[in-house]
């Protein structure tokens, strides 16, 4: 079972952090190990996932889309229907319950576009914990609505005016806070990234998606899907749905953000174009220049706009258990409109990347074949972005 005891997936992962942070990570690792199979903890988490998050999320047969494309049957795993509108709450509820069991009274998080900050502030409010969210000043300006949401939920939002004033700088400040306060505080990481044990914990909390899918397909007498497709930012929704299928017949496909094209440098196709490097406490693939400096990235989907990727995906790429492709901004926007028009479901722009690949793949398959797409979130948040991109929607 991966990771190994030191937190490595093959050669990737580990714990590349300042010495002062090691005791905090060891405490979390130990608490998680003790609690993860504890029946009371599992029951409490199941309770919140069912009655608060709204799980199980439906598996929906996209009949209109399948018929239009004339190939494989397309099923959508509806993480967009979760409370707060994406898969992120599966992880923040799990980690917040862990923090509470550890006796911590405050959650610390870093956020880029604000989605993870909102999911953390939500879990904190539900469990009666304090919450501090660090957000770069540039992001805070771009994502004012999410900042306001976090404040409504009772979180303290600290805007960071250092460096590029984005996620990287917010993460540094969040870790600085955590190093000096971990006796009473817990650091919440929002994707399958960061130092051990985070990639493992986040994967396990998100794997509820894949385990539910297995049951739902069994109920439909579908032994295994032919393809499972998910978008990859840090990689948590993807590893969550892939995990129970890693040694199955299913073809697992991760879709990164191709932005304005791989050659343009305006993308975040970390696995396609990156190479080995350390970011946020773990060794993985990384978009970096020849001097090892982290490169600027671009995606129309804020949740995919990240120069790194979780270490387990680096391992899965090298071992060829998962295949990774990328999809451009333009293709993602087309898919966003297509799903909205044909199924009445507005997907998150992140999820629209996975969908765009499926739209290309489905016509080449037969009607007996099954594609499952992880719809990681809902797209209401992206309406303005899409409208700007296409210069207003034409209502034909
Ligand atoms: C944050 C986010 C993502 C990307 O994060 P992963 O950890 O790669 O899953 C994808 N979809 C939505 C809707 C998000 O909010």
């Amino acid at each position: 079972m991966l990771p190994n005891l030191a937190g490595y997936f093959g050669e990737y992962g580990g714990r590349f952090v300042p010495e002062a942070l090691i005791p905090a990570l060891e405490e979390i690792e130990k608490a998680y190990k003790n609690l993860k199979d504890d029946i009371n903890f599992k029951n409490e988490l199941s309770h919140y996932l069912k009655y608060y998050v709204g799980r199980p999320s439906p598996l929906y047969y996209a009949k209109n889309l399948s018929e239009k494309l004339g190939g494989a049957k397309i099923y959508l795993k509806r993480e967009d229907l979760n409370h707060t509108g994406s898969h992120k709450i599966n992880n923040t509820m799990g980690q917040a319950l862990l923090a509470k069991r550890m006796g911590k009274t405050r959650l610390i998080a870093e956020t880029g576009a604000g989605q993870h900050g909102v999911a953390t502030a939500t879990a904190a409010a539900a469990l009666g914990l304090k919450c501090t969210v660090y957000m770069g000043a540039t992001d805070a300006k771009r994502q004012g609505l999410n900042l306001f949401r976090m404040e409504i939920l009772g979180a303290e939002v600290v805007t960071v005016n250092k460096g590029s004033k984005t996620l990287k700088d917010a993460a540094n400040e969040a870790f600085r806070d955590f190093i000096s306060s971990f006796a009473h505080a817990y650091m919440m990481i929002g994707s399958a990234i960061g130092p051990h044990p985070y990639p493992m914990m986040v994967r396990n909390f998100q794997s509820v998606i894949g385990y539910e899918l297995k049951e739902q397909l069994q109920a439909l007498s579908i032994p295994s899907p032919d393809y499972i497709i998910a978008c990859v930012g840090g990689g948590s929704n993807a590893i969550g749905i892939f995990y129970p299928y890693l040694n199955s017949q299913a073809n697992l496909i991760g879709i990164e953000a191709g932005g304005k094209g791989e050659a343009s440098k305006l993308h975040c196709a970390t696995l396609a174009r990156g190479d080995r490097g350390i970011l946020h406490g773990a060794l993985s693939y990384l978009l970096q220049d020849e001097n090892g400096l982290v490169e600027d990235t671009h995606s129309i989907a804020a949740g995919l706009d990240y120069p790194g990727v979780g270490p387990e995906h680096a391992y899965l790429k090298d071992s060829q258990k998962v295949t990774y492709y990328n999809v451009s901004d333009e293709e993602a926007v087309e898919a966003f409109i297509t799903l909205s028009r044909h199924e009445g479901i507005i997907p998150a722009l992140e999820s629209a990347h996975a969908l765009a690949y499926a739209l290309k793949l489905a016509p080449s398959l037969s009607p007996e074949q099954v594609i499952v797409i992880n719809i990681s979130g809902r797209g209401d948040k992206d309406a303005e972005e899409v409208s700007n991109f296409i210069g207003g929607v034409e209502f034909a």
Side-chain angles (χ1 to χ4, degrees):
M1 265 310 181
L2 293 175
N4 68 14
L5 286 175
Y8 281 89
F9 303 87
E11 60 190 305
Y12 302 103
R15 190 176 268 172
F16 296 85
V17 296
E19 202 62 38
L21 210 53
I22 299 282
L25 296 174
E26 284 177 344
E27 187 195 6
I28 293 171
E29 183 186 3
K30 192 162 156 233
Y32 178 68
K33 207 173 266 171
N34 288 335
L35 280 174
K36 85 177 166 54
D37 300 315
D38 177 281
I39 189 73
N40 291 327
F41 181 76
K42 289 205 315 200
N43 285 344
E44 197 179 8
L45 179 56
S46 300
H47 173 87
Y48 278 102
L49 290 179
K50 182 170 178 188
Y51 295 102
Y52 188 71
V53 174
R55 306 203 68 88
S57 68
L59 181 68
Y60 181 69
Y61 172 48
K63 183 166 176 285
N64 302 339
L65 193 61
S66 303
E67 284 173 1
K68 171 184 142 66
L69 294 170
K73 290 196 180 66
I74 296 177
Y75 285 84
L76 310 175
K77 183 63 174 150
R78 300 285 311 273
E79 292 301 298
D80 58 309
L81 293 176
N82 294 338
H83 180 44
T84 70
S86 84
H87 69 293
K88 286 197 169 73
I89 191 87
N90 302 327
N91 168 53
T92 54
M93 280 314 293
Q95 286 194 56
L97 280 170
L98 172 66
K100 192 155 184 179
R101 288 294 188 105
M102 291 171 73
K104 309 296 182 189
T105 53
R106 182 169 69 100
L107 303 178
I108 300 169
E110 87 291 356
T111 197
Q115 298 295 108
H116 171 56
V118 169
T120 302
T122 300
L127 298 183
L129 299 164
K130 284 186 272 188
C131 181
T132 312
V133 180
Y134 290 85
M135 192 172 193
T138 306
D139 289 334
K141 202 176 288 171
R142 281 192 294 218
Q143 305 287 340
L145 184 59
N146 276 341
L147 193 160
F148 191 45
R149 249 185 216 142
M150 290 182 254
E151 289 180 340
I152 289 172
L153 290 161
E156 178 201 7
V157 182
V158 180
T159 49
V160 176
N161 274 301
K162 293 181 182 164
S164 59
K165 304 177 189 177
T166 58
L167 179 62
K168 190 156 43 93
D169 315 286
N172 288 340
E173 290 306 301
F175 271 113
R176 192 161 301 156
D177 179 347
F178 184 49
I179 284 175
S180 65
S181 65
F182 66 81
H184 303 289
Y186 179 94
M187 175 82 193
M188 181 81 88
I189 291 186
S191 187
I193 58 172
H196 181 60
Y198 286 101
M200 171 183 76
M201 280 198 305
V202 176
R203 173 197 70 197
N204 291 350
F205 287 132
Q206 292 292 0
S207 68
V208 65
I209 306 172
Y211 286 112
E212 273 177 13
L213 173 62
K214 264 202 151 156
E215 275 187 26
Q216 291 167 324
L217 287 173
Q218 258 158 26
L220 294 168
S221 303
I222 299 172
S224 172
D226 297 279
Y227 291 86
I228 303 177
I229 307 176
C231 64
V232 177
S236 70
N237 86 87
I239 198 66
I241 196 166
F242 293 164
Y243 188 57
Y245 287 94
L246 283 179
N247 295 306
S248 77
Q249 296 298 310
N251 294 294
L252 306 178
I253 298 185
I255 305 295
E256 298 189 297
K260 299 196 185 302
E262 267 189 50
S264 72
K265 292 216 153 205
L266 294 170
H267 62 77
C268 11
T270 309
L271 289 163
R273 302 293 290 218
D275 47 25
R276 291 161 46 108
I278 292 169
L279 181 69
H280 295 150
L283 176 67
S284 186
Y285 277 65
L286 175 61
L287 290 167
Q288 54 193 334
D289 66 17
E290 50 288 354
N291 300 315
L293 290 175
V294 178
E295 289 192 300
D296 287 337
T297 52
H298 161 83
S299 171
I300 190 166
L304 302 182
D305 199 347
Y306 180 65
V309 66
E312 191 161 10
H313 286 288
Y315 165 76
L316 292 171
K317 176 190 158 80
D318 286 6
S319 59
Q320 298 179 351
K321 285 181 185 249
V322 178
T323 313
Y324 297 87
Y325 298 104
N326 57 78
V327 150
S328 70
D329 288 350
E330 195 172 340
E331 292 170 307
V333 168
E334 269 173 39
F336 174 99
I337 302 284
T338 299
L339 191 68
S340 303
R341 295 281 166 95
H342 291 278
E343 297 289 353
I345 297 170
I346 304 179
L349 274 173
E350 291 83 0
S351 324
H353 283 72
L355 183 69
Y357 184 80
L359 298 183
K360 289 192 274 192
L361 175 67
S364 69
L365 303 178
S366 72
E368 296 77 54
Q369 291 181 290
V370 168
I371 298 176
V372 176
I373 306 165
N374 202 13
I375 301 296
S376 54
R378 65 173 182 234
D380 314 43
K381 67 180 178 62
D382 298 318
E384 195 181 337
E385 189 79 47
V386 168
S387 176
N388 290 341
F389 189 86
I390 60 183
V393 183
E394 266 178 53
F395 293 95

